[in-house]
Amino acid sequence: LVMAATRSVMRAVRVFEFGGPEVLKLQSDVLVPAPKENQVLIKVHACGVNPVETYIRSGTYARKPALPYTPGSDVAGVIESVGEHVTAFKKGDRVFTLETLSGGYAEYAVAAANRVFPLPDKLDFRQGAAIGVPYFTAYRALFQKGCAKAGESVLVHGASGGVGLAACQIARACGLKVLGTAGTEEGMNVILRNGAHQAFNHRDPDYTERIKACTGPGGVDIIIEMLSNVNLDADLQLLSCAGRVMVVGCRGRIEINPRDTMSKESSIIGVSLFLATEEERHECATAVLDGIEAGWLRPAVGLEYPLEKVAKAHEDIICSSGARGKMVLLV
């Protein structure tokens, strides 16, 4: 009865084999999933696109979903129906998710109720789709794993993307000195508008020297690293004593000299939101919702694509010249 008002089939992106962006197939006859106990069904208005989804799709990521599957975790939309024992939400509520069970690149998505959060009226659905993975990951990298403290300095490498801008906003709100890098003039301006005290163009051959001039001999306390396979070796030269590099993104191997960590007793720490405990997720959610309420958390939306252009979105998120906010699919 709950499903009666909902269409029985929907448009959804399906992946039948691992490979390049061309394996993303938009189908119009996918069955609308039904929410089970402690689950909700969301009518999706927007879904975030994350680099990790391209790694999973290519088959190169540690976690491989069973085929076929629908990608996507960060959706924003309206509750269509709820399963048994769900009391926190009702039909018509505006929400955003941290992850979905059925996949977010679709007109409807099922999610566990404890991975769904109210979307305040001050944010639209596009912004709602830019919250989940970026802000939770940024908070985890800075505080749960990086042990950031007010008064410390943080360098956000690749700061103009979804996680990068989230890290800039959170770090600035929490009293850190924020430095960010981007690959374009426009990206640098976006960083400065979103909390960075200073921005650097990582395409400049001498940009690391400029960062050193800015931080002085002390170095930078924390580096949030989105492309560790390119930057990790140089990052170790930029750190302060007891500084730490938080590895948020990586696309391959890199050679480093471990002696660089010994000379400063520095740390290289991997960050994975998938490994967060229930308590840690709750902490992230509390910080994020408080940030929205206080007004310093303002998701910056970058490129937008209709569901039909999902392959182009996956291509652009890896190959584009520079991000300018979170990439989203509009459903």
Side-chain angles (χ1 to χ4, degrees):
L1 190 66
V2 171
M3 294 292 295
T6 307
R7 294 183 358 235
S8 57
V9 295
M10 63 174 180
R11 293 188 314 145
V13 174
R14 303 290 281 160
V15 175
F16 293 91
E17 60 179 325
F18 296 115
E22 69 280 356
V23 303
L24 298 160
K25 307 292 186 190
L26 180 58
Q27 301 194 306
S28 55
D29 57 353
V30 179
L31 285 176
V32 174
K36 299 189 175 79
E37 198 176 344
N38 298 315
Q39 296 176 358
V40 299
L41 178 68
I42 300 165
K43 185 173 192 331
V44 179
H45 285 253
C47 181
V49 180
N50 297 293
V52 69
E53 288 147 23
T54 71
Y55 312 150
I56 294 170
R57 181 217 69 228
S58 70
T60 59
Y61 197 63
R63 291 185 318 120
K64 285 192 183 69
L67 296 168
Y69 77 99
T70 296
S73 54
D74 298 324
V75 308
V78 175
I79 297 284
E80 181 69 31
S81 60
V82 301
E84 279 188 90
H85 309 310
V86 175
T87 55
F89 300 103
K90 64 184 185 310
K91 183 178 167 66
D93 286 350
R94 286 162 40 93
V95 294
F96 72 91
T97 68
L98 179 59
E99 60 188 63
T100 68
L101 295 165
S102 60
Y105 296 8
E107 290 180 324
Y108 292 90
V110 163
N114 65 353
R115 302 287 193 279
V116 177
F117 307 95
L119 179 64
D121 290 338
K122 65 170 85 168
L123 299 181
D124 61 29
F125 291 119
R126 292 152 52 256
Q127 292 174 302
I131 300 173
V133 169
Y135 282 88
F136 282 58
T137 299
Y139 183 87
R140 182 169 179 76
L142 283 164
F143 298 104
Q144 293 177 341
K145 295 297 171 186
C147 303
K149 296 180 184 66
E152 287 192 312
S153 58
V154 60
L155 169 64
V156 184
H157 243 321
S160 61
V163 177
L165 288 173
C168 288
Q169 290 179 5
I170 294 171
R172 180 66 180 255
C174 294
L176 282 89
K177 180 180 180 182
V178 185
L179 314 177
T181 75
T184 64
E185 195 70 36
E186 193 180 351
M188 289 166 67
N189 289 331
V190 169
I191 294 170
L192 291 168
R193 287 199 302 271
N194 282 277
H197 291 89
Q198 282 187 269
F200 303 86
N201 189 327
H202 54 63
R203 295 181 198 281
D204 286 353
D206 60 347
Y207 84 97
T208 54
E209 294 308 314
R210 293 185 187 187
I211 292 172
K212 284 178 184 170
C214 176
T215 59
V220 68
D221 298 307
I222 303 171
I223 298 177
I224 307 292
E225 184 53 74
M226 312 301 170
L227 200 61
S228 48
N229 55 298
V230 171
N231 300 320
L232 188 57
D233 187 48
D235 287 343
L236 295 176
Q237 321 302 320
L238 294 172
L239 286 177
S240 64
C241 277
R244 45 265 189 223
V245 180
M246 314 309 301
V247 177
V248 173
C250 183
R251 297 181 191 172
R253 304 176 72 86
I254 185 171
E255 188 173 308
I256 63 165
N257 184 348
R259 186 169 284 153
D260 291 336
T261 65
M262 296 162 63
S263 59
K264 296 175 181 174
E265 290 195 325
S266 54
S267 309
I268 301 166
I269 303 169
V271 180
S272 173
L273 187 57
F274 299 115
L275 297 177
T277 63
E278 198 62 53
E279 292 74 23
E280 287 170 332
R281 270 193 298 268
H282 179 71
E283 182 192 336
C284 289
T286 304
V288 164
L289 292 168
D290 282 355
I292 296 172
E293 182 87 11
W296 58 257
L297 190 157
R298 299 176 312 282
V301 177
L303 295 171
E304 302 171 14
Y305 300 79
L307 217 43
E308 294 81 7
K309 303 276 191 194
V310 63
K312 181 85 172 89
H314 268 224
E315 207 175 294
D316 289 352
I317 199 166
I318 297 300
C319 303
S320 71
S321 61
R324 300 180 304 281
K326 177 67 183 276
M327 184 181 283
V328 298
L329 295 173
L330 301 179
V331 182

